[in-house]
Each structure stands twice: as structure tokens, then as C-alpha cells.
Amino acid sequence: MAGRNFLFVPGPTNVPDRILRAMHRAMEDHRSSAFPELATGLFRDLKRLFKTTSGQPFIFPASGTGAWEAAFTNTLSPGDRLLCPRYGQFGHLWIEVAKKHGLRVDVLDVEWGEGAPVDRIAEILTADPQHEIKGLMIVHNETSTGVTSDLAAVRRAVDVAKHPALLYVDAVSSIASIDFRMDEWKVDLAVTGSQKGLMLPAGLGILCASPRALAAREQAKCTRAFFDLGEMIKSNAAGYFPYTPAVLLLYGLQESLAMLFEEGLENVFARHQRLGEGVRAAVRAWGLKLCAKAPQWYSDTVSAIMVPDGVNGADVIDIAFRRYDLALGAGLGRMAGKLFRIGHMGDLNELMLLGALAGAEMAMRDAGIKVAPGSGVAAAAEYYRSTTAPLAPKTGALAPEAQPPAAGGKPSRAKVAT
Ligand code: PLP
């Protein structure tokens, strides 16, 4: 098919040309004396990304799932108890990983479409005066339902209960797109992957650990080998890795972090908020509902859109892919067939999203959903148009042949720079 594939799954996301170019290089020796400059710069910049001064970032050649495993095995012992509100497929899978390591998880089931229930969390932790619960697991942005939880409120709930549980946060689809404050929210273990807001191919599992988490390592008895932070700490201190790092991805990460800081993290978050708001305007105009039950849960990186009864969301996705070269996200777990997802994270602007909305609209109509043609696109376009930043002053003049005619009839050349 001519033209570009429209990749609008909520990860992997589009890799910007700048990052592709940064990774397009020959392999090199990761034990050379030049290598630590790259590695130490990444550790420094990741701390800035996670908004931490005291936390320590770790980079594994893995994915988010590997970083989940690293978080548990380095801080807990088999039989330890964890508390996890479950409101989506990724929370569910995270719990399964914990169980496979012999951890006991108190699962707090929450309706899918809602987020972390902070009052219930405070109650449960308050009712645990012996502090048997060793950790609280929170998925910051539940990618399967398009729900973002309020981590500041979660932290308040833990503090109200005066509970020492470590705070484990899955920030896979929030880091680098939605505000995340490791130190302020006293997050102990934050987990992410490279293929979402960081705009890289999959292949890096990134973990950031607080001093408390690192101290917990001393007692933690879960088996660990590849993900042992002890080995990482030793090698990273000198700017190296205990085994072969994914060097090209590291160069990509360097470029990704440079791009994020050039734009400014707060501007990146604002851009995602605005792009997400446009998608939500489209969903309203289509007369459809998000899986997220209320505005407090709306995610700025992914919208999960419920399809009407009698329609299979998988058909919309398949038609979009085969007919319009548009990749949409599937409904996962218990949401399979009930929704489709539009990822709006990473290297993205308004017109790219309008293209995806147009494709989703066409595929929905093909699949029998009665959305008015152009309705979602118009609503989003109008939202973007009316909220766009004022134009910066022009830096040059139009080419002579593009100048509008002067009042007298002839094109004016007076202001043309030559
Ligand atoms: N957590 C969340 C919220 C995710 O969205 C994903 C992947 O989409 C994962 C965890 C798993 O990460 P990975 O596929 O990188 O192992």
C-alpha cells in the first residue's frame, strides 16, 4: 500500500526520524573507555525524566514485563503480601507475575473503567497494623481501559494509613507522556518500557528504585539472576553493564531524552492532554462512550472506545488495518471485542491524529456502526483549531509569486526578502 502505515496502537509508538538516525550506526564496544559517557548521561537524564534526585534508574535489555519482575525479585521474598487494585488487563498480568514468584497478592477488584480506589486502599492499609502488606501495586495508566489513576491521592492514602508498604508503580504507558513525580509521590519502584512515550522500539525495560527499595534488597530472598540489581549497581557505577547492553537502543534513548527535554516535559504533558481531549471530542460526536467511566479517569495517552452491542470491536480493528492501513489497539482480556483503542502517545501531532480518527470513522461505518460521516473528525479538528497556540511572528516573507495582490491589482514585491 502506498503512503505510511498509521500506527495508532498504544505502544509501540511512532519512532521519530531523529531517533531512527541516532540508532543508525555501527555496533561498538560496550567495554571501551568511551562507553561510560553514554551510560552515565542516560542515568542522569532518566532521573530527570522520573523527577527524582534520590532514586536510581536501571536499564535492562528487556521490556516492561522484565522491569516488573526486576521490581519484585529485588525487593521481596516468597510469601510476602502485596495489595493490588485490579482495574484492567495490565494490572491482572502484573499480579500473575507476582504470583509466579511466590508472592501473595490481595487483589482488590475494581470495575474496569475506573482507577485506583484511594479510600479503599487507605481503609485496607489502616486495617493492617502489623504491616503484613509489604507493597502496594498501582498501574498509573491502565492501557487496556484508557484509565489514569491519581498517584498523588494514592500516596496520600498510604500516608493517612501511616503504612510503610513500598509503592510499586507501573508507569509503562505514562512515563514521558503524563506527569510522573517519583520523589514527590514517594514512589519506590517505577517501571517503564522503551516503546511508548519514549518513542523507541521495544527492547528496554527501565526501572527506577528509591533508596528504600534499594535497602529492601538486603532482605529480599526472591530468586534473581538476570535482573539482579546488585550486579547492575556494581557495573553501572563505572558506567558499564554486567552483560551486553542494547547499545543502539541506548543511543536512541539518548536522542529521545534530548527531544523530550528540548520540548520541555511540561509541554510534552500539555501536548498529550490536548491531543487526548481532541480524541474525546470525536468520541462524543460519534455518540459513543469511552471505557473510562468519568473524566477523572480519562487517559491522555490512550482512549478505549466502546462499540455498540452487536458489533465486534475486532472487526473495526481488522477493517481499519486491511482497508485503510491504520493500526488500532484491540480490546484485551475481558474487554476483547467490546472496544477498540486509539493510542495517542509519543511522537504525534494534531493532523496525524485527525488521520487516525478519519480511518477509525470509516472502519466503524464499514463495520456497521452508525456514526455520522466526518462527525468525529470535525469535532476534533475544531477543538484543535480553536485551542491552538497563537501564531509566532513570521520569520521570513512569502515567495514573490505567493504574495497576495496589492489593492491596486499587481502583486506587491515591496516586502519580499531576496
Ligand atoms: N504495563 C502496561 C500498563 C502496559 O501497557 C504494558 C504493555 O503494553 C505492559 C505493562 C507490558 O509491557 P511490555 O509489553 O513492554 O512487556
Side-chain angles (χ1 to χ4, degrees), residues 27-154:
M27 284 311 299
E28 59 186 54
D29 179 13
H30 59 283
R31 302 198 197 281
S32 79
S33 58
F35 187 77
E37 196 183 327
L38 168 66
T40 50
L42 292 176
F43 299 141
R44 179 198 59 223
D45 288 350
L46 282 173
K47 287 174 78 156
R48 188 168 160 201
L49 178 71
F50 281 88
K51 296 194 178 171
T52 182
T53 53
S54 57
Q56 183 167 353
F58 297 92
I59 309 170
F60 294 99
S63 72
T65 306
W68 273 350
E69 186 160 329
F72 291 143
T73 55
N74 282 280
T75 53
L76 296 165
S77 303
D80 277 352
R81 257 175 81 190
L82 292 162
L83 172 64
C84 183
R86 174 167 57 189
Y87 35 83
Q89 182 68 2
F90 289 103
H92 172 70
L93 294 174
W94 199 15
I95 291 166
E96 292 305 304
V97 170
K99 287 186 184 162
K100 284 178 187 158
H101 284 284
L103 304 167
R104 289 180 298 154
V105 188
D106 298 354
V107 179
L108 177 56
D109 270 311
V110 175
E111 196 181 347
W112 289 26
E114 295 182 4
V118 287
D119 294 343
R120 287 287 293 127
I121 291 170
E123 273 167 36
I124 293 170
L125 292 180
T126 306
D128 176 37
Q130 304 303 321
H131 300 159
E132 282 180 17
I133 297 170
K134 300 295 176 216
L136 169 63
M137 299 157 60
I138 301 289
V139 177
H140 186 196
N141 186 75
E142 182 43 84
T143 324
S144 63
T145 55
V147 160
T148 305
S149 287
D150 182 349
L151 282 183
V154 169

Side-chain angles (χ1 to χ4, degrees), residues 294-335:
Q296 74 183 106
W297 308 121
Y298 290 168
S299 164
D300 288 331
T301 57
V302 51
S303 294
I305 299 154
M306 305 302 295
V307 295
D309 286 345
V311 176
N312 185 348
D315 290 340
V316 177
I317 295 163
D318 186 52
I319 293 169
F321 182 69
R322 289 195 294 131
R323 198 168 265 172
Y324 305 117
D325 213 4
L326 165 68
L328 298 169
L332 300 177
R334 72 166 73 153
M335 287 301 170

Side-chain angles (χ1 to χ4, degrees), residues 51-320:
K51 296 194 178 171
T52 182
T53 53
S54 57
Q56 183 167 353
F58 297 92
I59 309 170
F60 294 99
S63 72
T65 306
W68 273 350
E69 186 160 329
F72 291 143
T73 55
N74 282 280
T75 53
L76 296 165
S77 303
D80 277 352
R81 257 175 81 190
L82 292 162
L83 172 64
C84 183
R86 174 167 57 189
Y87 35 83
Q89 182 68 2
F90 289 103
H92 172 70
L93 294 174
W94 199 15
I95 291 166
E96 292 305 304
V97 170
K99 287 186 184 162
K100 284 178 187 158
H101 284 284
L103 304 167
R104 289 180 298 154
V105 188
D106 298 354
V107 179
L108 177 56
D109 270 311
V110 175
E111 196 181 347
W112 289 26
E114 295 182 4
V118 287
D119 294 343
R120 287 287 293 127
I121 291 170
E123 273 167 36
I124 293 170
L125 292 180
T126 306
D128 176 37
Q130 304 303 321
H131 300 159
E132 282 180 17
I133 297 170
K134 300 295 176 216
L136 169 63
M137 299 157 60
I138 301 289
V139 177
H140 186 196
N141 186 75
E142 182 43 84
T143 324
S144 63
T145 55
V147 160
T148 305
S149 287
D150 182 349
L151 282 183
V154 169
R155 168 42 64 193
R156 280 195 297 277
V158 181
D159 287 351
V160 162
K162 297 194 176 52
H163 200 289
L166 290 173
L167 180 55
Y168 295 74
V169 174
D170 174 328
V172 173
S173 57
S174 59
I175 285 282
S177 312
I178 296 173
D179 196 10
F180 182 85
R181 306 177 192 185
M182 174 115 183
D183 283 2
E184 190 179 320
W185 298 333
K186 292 184 262 170
V187 173
D188 290 297
L189 291 124
V191 168
T192 196
S194 48
Q195 75 278 19
K196 310 248 177 193
L198 285 168
M199 310 173 282
L200 293 162
L204 299 179
I206 301 173
L207 171 70
C208 199
S210 74
R212 234 158 58 88
L214 292 177
R217 249 173 9 99
E218 311 297 332
Q219 282 80 43
K221 300 213 166 33
C222 279
T223 304
R224 49 194 187 265
F226 181 81
F227 288 116
D228 189 356
L229 291 189
E231 297 303 318
M232 271 290 186
I233 290 169
K234 269 189 251 158
S235 298
N236 286 176
Y240 294 99
F241 289 85
Y243 34 72
T244 316
V247 176
L248 298 187
L249 283 172
L250 297 185
Y251 277 109
L253 179 60
Q254 184 183 48
E255 193 68 14
S256 152
L257 292 165
M259 288 176 72
L260 290 166
F261 298 147
E262 272 168 33
E263 184 175 351
L265 283 183
E266 306 311 313
N267 295 332
V268 172
F269 305 148
R271 172 167 55 82
H272 281 83
Q273 199 277 333
R274 191 162 159 275
L275 291 176
E277 202 50 56
V279 174
R280 294 187 281 270
V283 174
R284 276 193 300 277
W286 287 330
L288 298 177
K289 291 217 160 3
L290 290 169
C291 179
K293 299 269 181 241
Q296 74 183 106
W297 308 121
Y298 290 168
S299 164
D300 288 331
T301 57
V302 51
S303 294
I305 299 154
M306 305 302 295
V307 295
D309 286 345
V311 176
N312 185 348
D315 290 340
V316 177
I317 295 163
D318 186 52
I319 293 169

